[in-house]
Amino acid sequence: MSENRTTGVRRGARAAGVGAAAAVAIGLLSAGAANADTFVPLPDGQKVSPSGTVTITRTAEHALISPSLAANGAGRVVWVSGTAVAEVAETPEGEVGPWNGPSGREGSNNSSTHGASQLNTGYIVGCQVSIADDAISAGVSGGVSTDGVSAGGSLGVNLGPGEVKFVQISSKDILKAGTYAVDYQDAEIEIQGCAGYAQARAYTVVEIIGDHYSKTTLYGMPFSIG
């Protein structure tokens, strides 16, 4: 079994803030400050595919929520960290090719089908929407718009009331059986345009190509981002 690991870049001085906050459950980094950062620890999770050939594990997940520097009442920033691991016992040898989504369009960020099996991880962010399991079935829910957002540095997301977007942190192609991991530290997601409450939750998808196609998804616990 081989191990393939992608480690995200530490995002500036935020790492120090996360380390200092790790000793508390949920609280303010600066006591009494109206606009202080809020540290949110999140539970580990695991999902095994029905065939038993794929096991997804997420550990060390947490979020640090900050007011947006725009200070417009409709923005906020969340810094997310965690480790997503996929143990894959069987997969056909694929060849990475073009994305193949519905009607020839690009696939969404929680679905690959681009010629090779794949591990994909990120966050679902919603504005004035409760992101429960039944709201994200198959990645799309009736009446809820779902768009993909590419990773790279700070991720900006514009959300209106009732909207949900998938924010991809990273992905890794699975070309043979083995252990594949993505580590991310203080990846920044900036939300704008949402004047109401907002929620987020992690997702990790492993999609296996071939005659015995499977798609296994592990969701994290939803958390408020203000």
Side-chain angles (χ1 to χ4, degrees), residues 53-73:
T53 58
V54 174
T55 300
I56 305 173
T57 305
R58 186 185 303 104
T59 58
E61 186 191 4
H62 56 266
L64 187 67
I65 302 162
S66 307
S68 172
L69 294 177
N72 56 12

Side-chain angles (χ1 to χ4, degrees), residues 150-170:
S150 297
S154 177
L155 311 174
V157 184
N158 288 311
L159 283 176
E163 285 189 324
V164 172
K165 292 188 178 182
F166 285 85
V167 181
Q168 178 181 312
I169 297 295
S170 187

Side-chain angles (χ1 to χ4, degrees), residues 76-163:
R76 65 222 76 177
V77 175
V78 59
W79 307 75
V80 290
S81 303
T83 299
V85 177
E87 297 177 52
V88 180
E90 297 178 14
T91 181
E93 291 189 11
E95 181 178 348
V96 177
W99 293 74
N100 182 22
S103 303
R105 295 174 296 178
E106 292 185 354
S108 67
N109 274 344
N110 75 327
S111 178
S112 59
T113 61
H114 70 310
S117 299
Q118 191 180 74
L119 162 67
N120 192 314
T121 194
Y123 283 80
I124 306 165
V125 183
C127 177
Q128 296 184 3
V129 173
S130 178
I131 309 177
D133 291 342
D134 56 357
I136 51 178
S137 176
V140 180
S141 178
V144 178
S145 110
T146 308
D147 299 319
V149 180
S150 297
S154 177
L155 311 174
V157 184
N158 288 311
L159 283 176
E163 285 189 324

Side-chain angles (χ1 to χ4, degrees), residues 47 49 70 73 138 179 185:
K47 181 72 174 289
S49 66
T179 300
Q185 178 71 35

